[in-house]
Amino acid sequence: MPEGSYLYCDVSLPVPLDQPFTYSLPETLRHRVRAGSRILVPFGTRKLTGVILRCHDERPEVPTRDALRLIDSEPVLSAELLALGRWIGGYYCSPLGDVLRGMLPLASEIRRGKVWTLTDSGRDAARQLLLDSSPDDPVTQVLRMLEKRPLSSAYLAKAMPLGDKAIRALERKGFIVSEDVQTERDPMRAPSERLRVELAPTPKEGKFNKPERELRAFLELHPGSHNLKELEDAVKNASPAARSLARKGVVTLKPETVAVKIAIRARHDLNPAQQAAFEQIRDAILARRFQTFLLHGVTGSGKTEVYLSAIETALEAGRSALLMVPEIALTPQMAGQFFSRFGDRVAILHSAFTDVERTEQWRRIRSGAASVVVGTRSGVFAPVQNLGLIVVDEEHDGSYKQEENPRYNGRDVAIVRAQAAGACVILGSATPSLESRYNAAKAKYTLLELPGRISGRPMPVVDLIDMRQEFLETRKQETFSRKLIEALGARVENGEQTIVLLNRRGFSSFVACRACGERVQCINCSLTLTYHKRDRRLLCHYCGYAEKVPSKCPKCDSEHIYFLGMGSERVEEELHRAFPAARIARLDRDTVTGKRQYETILNDFREGNYDMLVGTQMIAKGHDIPNVTLVGVISADIGLGMPDFRAAERTFQLLTQVAGRAGRGNVPGIVLVQTINPDHYAVRLAAAQDYQAFYEKELNFRRMMHYPPFAAMANVLVRSEKKEMAMRMSTDLGFLLNPPPEKLRIMGPAEAPVPRLKNEYRYQFLIKAASRKSLNELLQKIRAYAVDHKWSATALVIDVDPLTLM
DNA sequence: AGCACGCCGACT
DNA sequence: GTCGGCGTGCTC
Ligand SMILES: [Zn+2]
Ligand SMILES: [Zn+2]
């Protein structure tokens, strides 16, 4: 890496303008700038943090402004990662600035902070106003808050959602001023259990209060670093004392290293199938050859042991390894497996960590101190050196796809990164995505199969229950079939645990009027509101809008309101009614607001504090769901009716995954699946646990319809708050795309499946292309068209390789 | 995307 | 007359 002296640098900025900006470098920065470092630059009236793409001496045609400050002396993005970012920008049609922002260790750090301060005249005005104006006037409130201390605009916006106008009015009058601040994260803000305190090498002298003196004395007596929380037992008020001593330079605070205390776990011997799979992977790693493996094995077939052995091989060869897991699976238990095998060589990248902890993990990875990285989707950007292996567990999982810009798929980015690095990739799944499995069939990937469960554990027995037949026989529309009730009752009797799945949140999915047929809709979206009984309100699952439960029809005033469609909350209630003595827990987005509750509920279930676990797909995913003897599926039909070509695949995956939770030890589990589509191939073949048959059937459908993996696909959506605007954009784009270029099929313009969402009208085009190249060329043409016609940057949404078509 | 500038209705 | 609405244009 050349370290010369440069006059200019090209900077990528987090703005929707897909171009670099050239800045001149002041004397002090000329020899320090490097491609991949962050830099603070003036941009219009603002200051922005961008990433340096290139340093050079070529005077640009336009006049330049001076860069302000270099943030990193060492690049945060290596040349390898910069190149990967460029690839993502091109492939997924996203501005490079957006891509790079998402690759940085702390995306939040990029967001510039603005702090509002009262001016002198503002202080006078505040005193006046506080005397004679109403206290709930937003202007008065803002002044009162700022009188105590300056506040960040983010804080003000949160405290007063409607204070925006008041703030601007006050600024115009000169009562308040704003200042751009580059927020340096204050390490002292972390909770005490996550901090270690140590005496500074040359502690400064000064006046101290009692807790400060005691803490200092303790640290002199017990040299080394101590966990701050634990110190509080020995020294009263240690936490505030440590923080104030740190400010005075007497002690230093640093983040606690994430430590899970588990004894180094002995490695299991691999069974023959595992060994055979491992040997192929090992050979590729040792040959430093880029190769992608698809490791296909049912739940409990021992994929993890293969991962662990492969990672070990990479480490022994002096290379590092990256393990990607779905968002929901990254739990302490999951991390613990890796700590126990690889000790402190492991770094965990997790959104639940504080900024300080994440920075610390990131630093350990870049320095090479950590050579095994466990992370989620964005973990693919971990700054590992000398990458030898990337494992993508549950490769079919939807959480690898980012549903906002840049809309990349972490699994696919992993493969591109590995290819550039000459590394291996293992894609693991019990239900591989059609794309991956097809790539294996075409020999683009190497297929490795792990047949059956390890140590001869039996596969579960799956029974389909035809709910149409059940209705004919009982003449009653019940939630639970007689067979399921009986099976659940027997488990409660025996003290065995059960899992009950219904992949739909809430109590009932809509509220309707018997008199006029009206269904209560969201005011922002063309969707019905879901009834949430516990919260006594109707909720929109897409925009969060909520309203009270109506007692009469909002349209015709009739009081004959009824609730339709069943959700997990109602299943829980009906189970309570059917089994009053059973202890029941529910696991879905409504009972799990943070990571903590998820773990608490599962731990309680594991310890036997509950008899039944009801929930949505959350109870099917995740590695730490305990196995049970009975799994009940209330309705396999949810999702099958979705206007989405992946509906069958998703249903198959979900049913297969939840069935995998059945069976303990040598006792085969039982899975009872209720459905009104017992003949649908996704349901039938999931019950038969026949992946191969499903794959072939679904592949035929995709081939016939020119869907992936037989076409490269993109969803192009235009949106606007004004319906006419959205329609005009879609018709204009329709003309541009007509006639469609060679080798491209274009469906649209059409209303999006959700025509109005978050107060925006939406129209879409589905583009299917025989070649990647022709698809990308067309998409770039569409982008250029949008820029030429001055569409707002948010009006056009391009989703390459979409997972959902909403 | 932000943010400034600029041009028109409706309030002191 | 000013205040404040949001259309338009620019950012190295
Ligand atoms: Zn009505
Ligand atoms: Zn809504």
Side-chain angles (χ1 to χ4, degrees):
Chain A
M1 196 139 305
E3 279 186 63
S5 174
Y6 302 97
L7 296 174
Y8 303 100
C9 66
D10 294 350
V11 178
S12 171
L13 293 169
V15 288
L17 301 166
D18 202 5
Q19 51 159 324
F21 294 85
T22 306
Y23 289 86
S24 43
L25 293 164
E27 197 77 50
T28 51
L29 297 185
R30 282 184 192 165
H31 56 282
R32 295 167 51 211
V33 287
R34 310 264 296 272
S37 291
R38 291 171 301 174
I39 193 166
L40 188 69
V41 294
F43 191 69
T45 55
R46 300 176 285 165
K47 295 171 186 173
L48 292 179
T49 302
V51 174
I52 301 174
L53 297 176
R54 193 169 75 94
C55 308
H56 58 89
D57 292 329
E58 301 153 26
R59 185 198 193 86
E61 314 214 328
V62 287
T64 56
R65 294 171 75 182
D66 268 5
L68 300 169
R69 190 162 69 81
L70 188 66
I71 294 172
D72 314 294
S73 50
E74 292 292 311
V76 282
L77 292 177
S78 60
E80 181 211 355
L81 286 175
L82 273 179
L84 188 64
R86 283 207 170 88
W87 178 84
I88 292 172
Y91 184 94
Y92 291 102
C93 298
S94 286
L96 186 58
D98 282 347
V99 177
L100 296 184
R101 178 175 44 182
M103 295 174 75
L104 295 175
L106 284 136
S108 59
E109 219 176 60
I110 286 289
R111 224 170 280 141
R112 63 247 144 241
K114 205 177 192 183
V115 168
W116 292 102
T117 318
L118 226 51
T119 60
D120 289 340
S121 62
R123 208 161 284 281
D124 294 339
R127 276 186 218 117
Q128 279 298 319
L129 269 169
L130 291 183
L131 291 176
D132 54 38
S133 80
S134 65
D136 48 328
D137 175 31
V139 173
T140 321
Q141 283 186 350
V142 171
L143 283 177
R144 183 175 294 165
M145 288 165 82
L146 288 178
E147 224 191 354
K148 295 195 191 96
R149 61 194 170 93
L151 294 169
S152 75
S153 55
Y155 180 87
L156 270 176
K158 217 182 201 170
M160 306 201 14
L162 304 169
D164 206 41
K165 279 182 194 159
I167 291 167
R168 258 190 272 163
L170 284 167
E171 187 188 22
R172 246 194 310 277
K173 287 182 185 131
F175 289 167
I176 61 177
V177 288
S178 71
E179 190 191 355
D180 273 324
V181 277
Q182 196 58 31
T183 39
E184 296 286 350
R185 293 284 166 175
D186 184 356
M188 289 177 255
R189 272 178 25 197
S192 54
E193 69 264 26
R194 295 192 179 165
L195 284 176
R196 292 192 81 79
V197 59
E198 188 173 6
L199 212 56
T202 51
K204 297 214 171 59
E205 294 302 327
K207 270 193 174 175
F208 306 119
N209 63 24
K210 192 168 170 236
E212 288 170 354
R213 283 196 306 273
E214 283 178 3
L215 178 63
R216 182 175 179 167
F218 182 91
L219 290 175
E220 279 168 349
L221 218 60
H222 305 273
S225 76
H226 302 264
N227 180 286
L228 188 49
K229 181 85 188 173
E230 288 161 13
L231 253 182
E232 280 176 342
D233 298 334
V235 182
K236 241 177 118 183
N237 290 324
S239 174
R243 288 161 212 266
S244 101
L245 284 179
R247 266 192 296 274
K248 293 173 184 167
V250 181
V251 302
T252 57
L253 288 174
K254 59 179 192 187
E256 181 69 86
T257 44
V258 182
V260 176
K261 293 162 201 138
I262 300 173
I264 297 288
R265 188 174 82 163
R267 45 195 302 180
H268 289 238
D269 286 336
L270 300 180
N271 67 26
Q274 289 173 320
Q275 183 67 29
F278 164 63
E279 280 172 14
Q280 288 204 51
I281 299 165
R282 182 195 58 201
D283 292 349
I285 293 173
L286 294 180
R288 305 188 141 256
R289 176 170 75 224
F290 162 65
Q291 191 170 351
T292 303
F293 297 92
L294 178 60
L295 183 61
H296 178 205
V298 298
T299 312
S301 61
K303 294 191 288 290
T304 306
E305 277 304 322
V306 178
Y307 301 160
L308 290 168
S309 302
I311 291 171
E312 202 153 68
T313 301
L315 295 184
E316 281 165 5
R319 306 180 77 185
S320 50
L322 181 57
L323 172 77
M324 294 166 64
V325 298
E327 200 79 41
I328 195 166
L330 189 47
T331 58
Q333 278 88 351
M334 163 40 92
Q337 284 194 308
F338 287 84
F339 276 113
S340 65
R341 182 76 165 251
F342 301 110
D344 58 9
R345 282 182 292 176
V346 177
I348 312 266
L349 291 174
H350 198 312
S351 56
F353 289 162
T354 64
D355 289 354
V356 189
E357 290 165 328
R358 279 153 70 189
T359 310
E360 168 71 8
Q361 298 287 317
W362 191 88
R363 204 189 49 70
R364 287 179 57 229
I365 298 166
R366 196 180 57 173
S367 71
S371 45
V372 181
V373 179
V374 184
T376 55
R377 176 178 60 231
S378 61
V380 75
F381 303 125
V384 291
Q385 313 276 330
N386 198 7
L387 184 66
L389 173 69
I390 305 182
V391 178
V392 184
D393 190 27
E394 306 291 350
E395 63 86 23
H396 64 276
D397 194 89
S399 74
Y400 288 122
K401 174 84 171 167
Q402 180 148 68
E403 293 294 351
E404 62 189 48
N405 262 340
R407 299 174 167 270
Y408 68 92
N409 189 319
R411 172 197 65 198
D412 299 334
V413 173
I415 292 169
V416 172
R417 182 174 182 186
Q419 179 162 31
C424 284
V425 180
I426 306 174
L427 306 178
S429 178
T431 51
S433 63
L434 266 275
E435 283 90 339
S436 294
R437 182 61 184 76
Y438 183 66
N439 279 331
K442 302 271 280 187
K444 207 176 151 193
Y445 303 164
T446 308
L447 183 63
L448 306 171
E449 302 255 19
L450 299 181
R453 290 178 164 180
I454 43 171
S455 44
R457 280 170 48 206
M459 293 294 288
V461 176
V462 184
D463 248 351
L464 285 182
I465 300 170
D466 184 345
M467 292 305 274
R468 297 167 308 182
Q469 191 62 32
E470 181 78 8
F471 177 74
L472 287 178
E473 287 169 19
T474 63
R475 288 276 142 210
K476 271 187 281 186
Q477 194 86 51
E478 298 281 1
T479 304
F480 310 112
S481 58
R482 293 159 297 175
K483 195 166 180 181
L484 182 55
I485 280 284
E486 190 187 316
L488 286 168
R491 296 306 180 294
V492 173
E493 203 92 325
N494 287 339
E496 291 172 35
Q497 290 182 311
T498 51
I499 283 178
V500 178
L501 171 85
L502 178 65
N503 194 20
R504 189 154 63 197
R505 291 167 60 199
F507 193 83
S508 45
S509 22
F510 40 90
V511 181
C513 167
R514 243 180 248 291
C516 73
E518 172 83 355
R519 289 176 173 189
V520 183
Q521 284 217 340
C522 175
I523 55 165
N524 304 313
C525 315
S526 43
L527 293 162
T528 57
L529 295 176
T530 303
Y531 172 45
H532 286 248
K533 192 171 185 182
R534 185 194 61 186
D535 306 334
R536 289 199 209 88
R537 58 180 193 166
L538 305 184
L539 183 70
C540 174
H541 287 175
Y542 288 80
C543 75
Y545 168 78
E547 63 180 44
K548 287 193 302 187
V549 183
S551 54
K552 55 187 184 183
C553 171
K555 196 175 166 195
C556 77
D557 278 354
S558 159
E559 290 181 1
H560 297 285
I561 295 279
Y562 67 112
F563 297 81
L564 259 173
M566 136 125 31
S568 55
E569 191 183 13
R570 179 151 164 212
V571 172
E572 182 193 8
E573 188 183 288
E574 293 203 8
L575 281 173
H576 270 301
R577 199 173 304 144
F579 306 102
R583 297 158 303 167
I584 303 172
R586 176 158 60 95
L587 202 65
D588 56 30
R589 270 248 297 284
D590 303 301
T591 60
V592 176
T593 46
K595 209 97 199 170
R596 293 289 286 275
Q597 280 154 65
Y598 177 79
E599 282 157 27
T600 310
I601 293 173
L602 279 184
N603 280 337
D604 283 350
F605 187 66
R606 195 175 298 108
E607 284 164 20
N609 300 334
Y610 291 113
D611 303 306
M612 296 182 186
L613 183 65
V614 184
T616 55
Q617 53 171 327
M618 248 187 213
I619 60 169
K621 302 186 171 188
H623 289 248
D624 41 356
I625 312 276
N627 268 35
V628 294
T629 56
L630 172 68
V631 169
V633 177
I634 299 304
S635 167
D637 313 308
I638 293 168
L640 273 183
M642 295 273 178
D644 187 332
F645 72 94
R646 290 186 205 272
E649 186 180 11
R650 266 200 292 269
T651 298
F652 180 84
Q653 286 164 347
L654 181 63
L655 293 177
T656 305
Q657 206 151 23
V658 77
R661 312 263 78 114
R664 281 193 90 118
N666 293 323
V667 184
I670 292 181
V671 185
L672 296 179
V673 179
Q674 301 186 156
T675 176
I676 56 169
N677 294 301
D679 301 323
H680 191 289
Y681 64 101
V683 177
R684 185 165 48 80
L685 295 171
Q689 299 169 78
D690 191 342
Y691 174 84
Q692 189 59 29
F694 174 78
Y695 164 70
E696 280 161 20
K697 181 111 188 155
E698 180 70 7
L699 201 67
N700 271 331
F701 161 70
R702 302 280 181 94
R703 183 184 290 120
M704 232 160 57
M705 302 296 292
H706 305 280
Y707 279 128
F710 296 99
M713 195 159 101
N715 187 17
V716 174
L717 186 134
V718 290
R719 56 180 184 181
S720 168
E721 284 188 20
K722 297 185 192 115
K723 187 167 189 185
E724 317 79 66
M725 184 62 184
M727 268 172 90
R728 220 192 66 212
M729 291 189 294
S730 73
T731 45
D732 287 357
L733 206 52
F735 283 121
L736 178 77
L737 301 181
N738 200 15
E742 205 52 23
K743 291 194 248 170
L744 289 170
R745 286 162 206 273
I746 295 172
M747 296 144 79
E751 273 194 336
V754 182
R756 199 164 74 98
L757 187 69
K758 295 180 185 170
N759 202 23
E760 284 179 320
Y761 293 88
R762 315 154 82 237
Y763 293 86
Q764 71 178 24
F765 299 79
L766 219 53
I767 303 175
K768 298 188 276 195
S771 90
R772 253 318 137 187
K773 190 162 159 286
S774 54
L775 176 67
N776 192 261
E777 279 165 8
L778 183 71
L779 295 176
Q780 300 298 354
K781 192 168 139 194
I782 292 172
R783 286 179 81 194
Y785 181 87
V787 172
D788 284 352
H789 291 73
K790 312 243 184 303
W791 291 4
S792 88
T794 48
L796 178 70
V797 181
I798 297 179
D799 190 357
V800 177
D801 302 338
L803 280 196
T804 59
L805 301 179
M806 289 305 201

